[in-house]
Amino acid sequence: MDTRNGSDDTQRHSSTTGVSRRTVLASGAAGIGTAALAGCMDGASGGGETNIAVISSPAGFGDNAFNDNAVSGLEDAEDDFDLEFTQVEERSESNYPSVQANTADGDYDLIICIGDNHTDALVENADEYSDQNWMLINNVVEGADNVSGWIEMNNEMSFLAGVAAGTLTQEDIEHEDSSTDPDEDIVGFVGGEQIDLIEAFEVSYIQGVEWVDEDIEVLDGYGGSFDDASAAANQAESQMDAGADIVWHAASSAGEGVFSAAQDNGRFALGVDTDQSESEDYQDVILGSAVKALNQATYDMAEAVTEDNFGDFVGEQNLSLENGGIDFVVGQAFDGDLPDTLDENLEEAIQAFEDDEIDLECGPTGC
């Protein structure tokens, strides 16, 4: 097997009980006074429990991916600790400076910012609100002693997705109305917004595919957003029309369009971030998902602030293959039914990571 860098071609190329929980819709709230927004959230604070706020990425909550993964860890923590949390949904990155500040004016033991989009605003707010504990997902704030920055090794997750796609496109798989075409060896990738982070997902995915077989062709496309499922569906359908029988997405909630395209075209898809085959609507086409344990990270941070151990997590933390934070899981409708080559190749790839035999093009903060 061989590892090669992906092509620059953007079209073709040869991953004790909480009391109450509320969602505050912060979009447009930047124009509301600090006291007004803080007052809106005060209902989630008080009573002596640990109080946590979580601010969404631009994809918003309900994405069945990145944001929901983070929230699920807090839901588990609610069951185990005396805490409650408030979801603050903000889809506009330009509002993050004010939304972070307004949230910090509330009474929260921890504020979780989902996504690298929060970084620039948090550099300022972490300094301005130096007594506030912050958790930043997908980046770090250098020198800040009140920020726990969690770097998700998305490059490793994406590589595993590529290994799975590259393996399964060469196998003869039939399930309900979908099938692969092992004579073609073509797979696809659909991104949300075409930004550096998502392009890095694609690069590592291609490396995973080519690690299996450098002759497998990878088609790619971007829907332009993280919530427009129809745009993602159009990209996936175009790739399937061109021969792709398995398409992986890095498009958050828009990825639902990839799954629907697979159903409509008799093909398959791979999920991202969480086990997306848990959705009964698409279990028949989701062969598996490249996952990361973001839920465990938010759970650990909730436990830390509850037990007054936040200081143990200040600075850079990682979710990686090495610490069990990255994995690939088989879809629920396919458990025990996929070829043994999938497990064999995934195990070989993970071992190769452990042996430092795989050198991915993108580094931790860029992937």
Side-chain angles (χ1 to χ4, degrees):
M1 294 186 180
D2 178 47
T3 304
R4 303 190 331 180
N5 293 337
S7 165
D8 289 332
D9 180 0
T10 59
Q11 295 300 320
R12 286 179 177 261
H13 307 268
S14 225
S15 152
T16 314
T17 307
V19 179
S20 64
R21 185 188 318 129
R22 301 189 306 142
T23 298
V24 176
L25 298 178
S27 292
I32 300 175
T34 297
L37 184 55
C40 181
M41 293 194 226
D42 279 346
S45 301
E49 301 95 352
T50 297
N51 296 291
I52 297 173
V54 53
I55 308 174
S56 74
S57 78
F61 299 112
D63 62 352
N64 191 30
F66 191 44
N67 289 275
D68 289 357
N69 195 3
V71 169
S72 69
L74 297 177
E75 292 172 338
D76 290 341
E78 266 193 329
D79 294 334
D80 294 341
F81 308 108
D82 187 19
L83 67 83
E84 56 190 17
F85 70 93
T86 296
Q87 296 172 223
V88 182
E89 182 165 276
E90 178 52 70
R91 292 174 177 264
S92 175
E93 183 175 345
S94 63
N95 288 338
Y96 284 152
S98 57
V99 170
Q100 288 177 11
N102 292 344
T103 306
D105 282 324
D107 184 17
Y108 293 97
D109 300 285
L110 176 68
I111 298 174
I112 300 172
C113 299
I114 303 178
D116 176 59
N117 310 72
H118 282 276
T119 303
D120 289 343
L122 189 55
V123 168
E124 302 297 328
N125 282 319
D127 181 59
E128 179 70 20
Y129 296 89
S130 57
D131 293 332
Q132 173 68 60
N133 295 328
W134 303 86
M135 176 184 185
L136 175 62
I137 297 169
N138 256 357
N139 211 334
V140 296
V141 176
E142 298 293 343
D145 61 5
N146 58 336
V147 179
S148 179
W150 286 76
I151 300 297
E152 303 170 318
M153 305 300 283
N154 291 317
N155 52 351
E156 296 179 354
M157 182 185 70
S158 302
F159 188 90
L160 292 188
V163 171
T167 300
L168 296 175
T169 190
Q170 296 182 322
E171 300 285 347
D172 189 1
I173 302 171
E174 294 186 6
H175 183 77
E176 296 189 5
D177 297 327
S178 295
S179 62
T180 57
D181 185 357
D183 294 330
E184 289 289 338
D185 290 353
I186 302 173
V187 299
F189 170 85
V190 173
E193 294 181 17
Q194 192 166 359
I195 56 179
D196 290 346
L197 179 67
I198 304 304
E199 288 181 333
F201 273 66
E202 179 188 351
V203 169
S204 297
Y205 173 69
I206 293 169
Q207 286 185 273
V209 172
E210 294 184 342
W211 183 82
V212 175
D213 186 340
E214 63 183 15
D215 292 327
I216 298 173
E217 186 174 14
V218 182
L219 310 180
D220 76 347
Y222 288 79
S225 81
F226 292 112
D227 56 12
D228 186 349
S230 63
N234 289 339
Q235 291 293 332
E237 184 167 358
S238 175
Q239 293 171 19
M240 291 170 189
D241 286 344
D245 52 12
I246 300 171
V247 177
W248 184 52
H249 82 88
S252 196
S253 58
E256 182 176 328
V258 174
F259 303 148
S260 64
Q263 285 181 330
D264 291 344
N265 292 272
R267 295 305 193 185
F268 294 108
L270 301 178
V272 67
D273 292 339
T274 65
D275 180 1
Q276 295 194 300
S277 72
E278 291 181 353
S279 169
E280 293 183 2
D281 292 339
Y282 302 109
Q283 281 188 4
D284 59 319
V285 295
I286 301 176
L287 294 172
S289 298
V291 301
K292 52 196 176 191
L294 180 55
N295 56 332
Q296 186 63 52
T298 54
Y299 179 96
D300 289 346
M301 291 307 303
E303 180 179 19
V305 294
T306 299
E307 298 181 354
D308 200 25
N309 292 326
F310 176 82
D312 293 344
F313 293 90
V314 167
E316 182 176 332
Q317 312 295 319
N318 285 302
L319 289 174
S320 65
L321 281 169
E322 183 179 4
N323 62 24
I326 300 293
D327 202 359
F328 184 89
V329 296
V330 172
Q332 296 190 18
F334 298 90
D335 189 26
D337 293 332
L338 294 181
D340 291 341
T341 51
L342 176 61
D343 283 340
E344 293 167 0
N345 284 352
L346 287 170
E347 289 174 6
E348 186 177 343
I350 292 171
Q351 185 62 52
F353 272 108
E354 294 177 358
D355 296 339
D356 293 324
E357 295 175 357
I358 294 177
D359 184 18
L360 295 180
E361 180 175 320
C362 45
T365 58
C367 299

